[in-house]
Amino acid sequence: MTCAKYRSVALATVALIGLPALAQETQEQSPPDPQTAALLERIEQLEAELADLRGVVLQSTETASKAEAAAQDAVDRIAEVQDQASPAPSYAVSPGMPDTKWHLAGYADVGFVGGDTPGPDSFVSGKFNPALHFQYKDFLLFEGEFEYATTGDGKTESELEYSQIDLVLNDHAVLVVGKYLSPIGQFQERLHPSWINKVQGAPAGFGHDGVQPTSDTGVQLRGSIPAGSTRLTYALAVGNGPRTTSEGGVELMGMGSDDNSNKSVGGRVGFFPMPALEVGGSYLTARVDGIMNPDMPVPSGSGLPLDARFQLWGVDAAYTKGPLAARFEYLKSERGKLFTVTDEEPDGVLLPDLEMEAWYGQLSYRLSGFSDSEIIHRLEPVVRYGEFSISGHPELEEENAQNRLNAGLNYWLAPTIVAKAGLEWRDYTVPGVPDETLIQFQLGYGF
Amino acid sequence: MKSCIIPAFTLAAILLTGGSAAIAQSVSQSAPEETPATESAAETDPMQIVRGAKAWNETCSRCHNLRSPSELTDEEWDVSVTHMRVRGNLPASDVRDILAFLQASNNQ
């Protein structure tokens, strides 16, 4: 190779390597184009704004820290005051609930009664039964219920149905003290409110002047005891007990005081052979005194029975599953011979043994599964048959002894609002007493 | 006339004195059993509400139609369920489950 060639190759190599570097240096040293300049200016503005924002955030963080500290101080102070004022008892439950809670409940009904009866067809005002419940924490409940009704002559009747204090002793026992609904059987204690009762009235013998005690005043121990896969329920009661009436019958309602020193003892035990079936047995025993005429006291040693044993027993069963409810109750009472003053015998009379017996069976079925119709879905046919017999008291027997059949159709406007239409046939068992056929309508509301 | 006085008063005395003692005991000892776990039923025992729904359906319908849970507030259900516990001799465990279900279902 010649020197000229070597020179040419060297120049070419220098040109290839050096020109790009030269070009780059030339670009860096040249002023930016307008677009690049604008971008650089924008970047500078953003950096300035970011610095400002940093300052604002720092200020906000300081403010939030101060507020958080103040709030924590307040929370600590509130907790301190609460601890000093009322330390929470160990049995206080349901956080957020006050110690005393209350609930206004009850029921009311209105209606119409007509048909083949001695009296005229009438609208009836029915009953209004407000009930108040006051509960202290979870171990004490006061409950009371009034009954208001308008009589045929426009006066207002009022009665204290029950007024009792319930003390929850443990999971299996509650102590009830006061005037309470009779625990005998099922109807009086659980089924008589008009929004629960499928028929307009009580079965024969299970209302006033019947064999069913309505209430008593005393003390009850009641509750539930596990028994294998099922349970036993119990209600044991000691009360003032029944009293002889001025007609010579037996008054089975809660008296404010006792007319003798003898207390009634009784109650009910229930059992569930299967979840849908409840069976029970009831018993009550007491002594009742005859009414004495203070102007003509019975001489001692006369041999006349001045008091008598009163006993009552019964069984009940209820099968409730879905739309079906079948019920049965039986009660029988006996009172021995008794010397007493009556309205008709002011000088006293020796009354014979008194026996009363009543039972009923009832079947109802809600047509909820029969149709898609909303109307049929709310219908509930019901039929009830019962008998009430009395021996040893002709006047009571003539007035009350009967076989009674009820057939009705209920329409439920809501779970606690029912419109009832029904027929009641009363077949009085004393010869000569005319039978009656009643047409009954009732609207009952439980609240 | 008074042949039944002694047994009757004995029973009454047992009920009253035994009851009073049991009250004190129950308040101090067994009261936690009375806790109706409504405070956190779903948290501590999610199945309580399920059991409550079942017990509500079986127990309440023995006597009457089922009231909607939304009819009453939490406080009112607390009182009402205690009332029904006494009236129906309901087991305390069922009462707690039913109350938890009603209070969780009433949307109040």
Side-chain angles (χ1 to χ4, degrees), chain B:
Chain B
M1 179 185 295
K2 299 184 179 181
S3 59
C4 194
I5 292 175
I6 293 175
F9 273 107
T10 302
L11 181 54
I14 290 171
L15 292 179
L16 283 172
T17 55
S20 301
I23 292 167
Q25 187 177 9
S26 66
V27 168
S28 62
Q29 292 183 358
S30 66
E33 289 186 341
E34 296 302 315
T35 304
T38 54
E39 48 192 307
S40 57
E43 297 170 9
T44 59
D45 184 4
M47 291 304 293
Q48 185 178 33
I49 293 174
V50 177
R51 291 195 308 271
K54 185 171 182 286
W56 172 68
N57 180 47
E58 285 182 357
T59 305
C60 306
S61 61
R62 286 197 180 106
C63 296
H64 56 74
N65 286 344
L66 297 172
R67 285 177 178 268
S68 167
S70 60
E71 281 192 30
L72 302 179
T73 64
D74 284 0
E75 283 182 31
E76 290 170 332
W77 275 127
D78 200 349
V79 179
S80 181
V81 169
T82 304
H83 162 71
M84 293 313 306
R85 171 185 176 170
V86 178
R87 184 60 53 89
N89 290 326
L90 307 184
S93 56
D94 282 5
V95 169
R96 287 190 284 269
D97 293 344
I98 290 171
L99 182 59
F101 162 72
L102 291 169
Q103 291 180 334
S105 308
N106 63 351
N107 298 319
Q108 293 183 43

Side-chain angles (χ1 to χ4, degrees), chain A residues 11-166:
Chain A
L11 285 172
T13 303
V14 169
L16 285 173
I17 296 172
L19 279 177
L22 185 63
Q24 185 178 7
E25 185 178 355
T26 304
Q27 276 183 349
E28 285 174 354
Q29 291 178 349
S30 63
D33 59 65
Q35 189 176 4
T36 303
L39 286 174
L40 289 172
E41 186 178 352
R42 179 62 181 151
I43 288 171
E44 288 175 0
Q45 288 175 354
L46 289 174
E47 285 178 342
E49 288 176 8
L50 184 60
D52 292 340
L53 285 173
R54 281 197 183 112
V56 171
V57 168
L58 283 174
Q59 286 181 349
S60 300
T61 303
E62 289 176 5
T63 305
S65 298
K66 291 177 182 175
E68 187 179 8
Q72 187 58 49
D73 288 342
V75 169
D76 293 341
R77 179 61 184 149
I78 290 170
E80 184 182 339
V81 170
Q82 285 179 333
D83 288 342
Q84 292 171 354
S86 58
S90 61
Y91 49 82
V93 295
S94 306
M97 293 270 184
D99 286 350
T100 297
K101 294 150 278 190
W102 68 284
H103 176 219
L104 175 61
Y107 63 96
D109 59 70
V110 295
F112 177 87
V113 176
D116 182 16
T117 66
D121 299 350
S122 293
F123 289 102
V124 290
S125 67
K127 301 184 296 293
F128 168 44
N129 289 54
L132 283 166
H133 306 144
F134 292 91
Q135 179 175 324
Y136 184 75
K137 292 182 178 169
D138 291 293
F139 66 91
L140 186 144
L141 177 73
F142 166 78
E143 45 184 328
E145 179 183 311
F146 287 98
E147 178 170 295
Y148 298 99
T150 302
T151 63
D153 57 359
K155 295 178 180 174
T156 299
E157 281 181 342
S158 63
E159 185 175 346
L160 184 62
E161 291 283 289
Y162 59 87
S163 174
Q164 64 189 62
I165 290 180
D166 312 324

